[in-house]
Amino acid sequence: MTGPEGDARAVRTRARLRRALLDACAEQPLADVSVAALVRRAGVGRATFYVHYADLEALAVDACADVVRDAVDALHAWRGTPDPASPPPALLGFFAGLTAHTGLHRALLSPGGGGPLGRQLHQDLRARSRGERALVGAPEPDLVASAVASAFTGVLADWLHGLVPGGPDEVAHRVWRLLIALHRTPLP
């Protein structure tokens, strides 16, 4: 079916599949979730699953896409001169909110920032940072945007995997200071 009704139905189907995956991953690791069990949980057919997603990883990345959008928005939720001692409330909320699906995020975001979710986060964060730096005429928009995206994605991944100690609030403050330092580093 095409047109607005078909689009609405596709949106609803993808939402059901994402919800079913998040619910399943709250009970077991992503590696233990099968397409058969997932489509039963979602109340859709197996063929319908494959119309929307190539595999479970593609669905999982889509289900976690809000994490990427939230991270990018949280890092840019300030105006004026940023205070290194006060991260934006959105950044604090972002780190605090990650605990709901930590296992799924770990499965998609490997240490160092790799994995499908890490690649998506890096790409989106780099584009947003580069665009904002270029807009205000800040030096080296490509270099700094890459550094910011790499640092944030890597620290986030390492924190989720227990390689960076600290609670959500503490890590948000430390990450914020790190990113401010990257932006303020004098460049020739």
Side-chain angles (χ1 to χ4, degrees):
M1 179 180 288
T2 61
E5 185 179 323
D7 291 343
R9 192 165 83 187
V11 167
R12 285 191 306 272
T13 299
R14 285 191 298 273
R16 288 170 66 183
L17 288 165
R18 286 190 301 268
R19 173 54 35 212
L21 180 75
L22 292 173
D23 291 346
C25 287
E27 299 167 2
Q28 61 190 357
L30 176 62
D32 294 343
V33 175
S34 69
V35 172
L38 184 74
V39 296
R40 272 193 307 277
R41 185 183 283 256
V44 302
R46 190 177 185 96
T48 299
F49 172 86
Y50 288 108
V51 165
H52 296 283
Y53 299 102
D55 54 29
L56 281 173
E57 183 179 279
L59 169 58
V61 170
D62 185 40
C64 292
D66 287 342
V67 170
V68 171
R69 282 188 293 277
D70 290 349
V72 172
D73 289 345
L75 286 175
H76 294 88
W78 58 271
R79 294 292 169 243
T81 303
D83 177 2
S86 300
L91 186 61
L92 295 167
F94 167 75
F95 274 94
L98 285 175
T99 57
H101 298 289
T102 301
L104 180 58
H105 297 142
R106 282 183 192 140
L108 299 172
L109 185 61
S110 58
L117 190 59
R119 287 188 297 274
Q120 187 67 50
L121 177 56
H122 186 277
Q123 175 185 324
D124 291 358
L125 184 54
R126 186 185 184 286
R128 177 90 170 262
S129 294
R130 192 211 177 284
E132 289 190 6
R133 286 189 69 81
L135 184 66
V136 299
E140 299 282 358
D142 292 316
L143 177 68
V144 175
S146 289
V148 165
S150 296
F152 182 80
T153 304
V155 170
L156 173 64
D158 287 355
W159 177 67
L160 285 169
H161 285 275
L163 302 173
V164 172
D169 190 68
E170 177 188 354
V171 171
H173 278 82
R174 291 166 55 204
V175 163
W176 182 244
R177 288 189 303 271
L178 173 64
L179 297 178
I180 296 293
L182 284 172
H183 277 284
R184 290 184 176 167
T185 300
L187 299 169

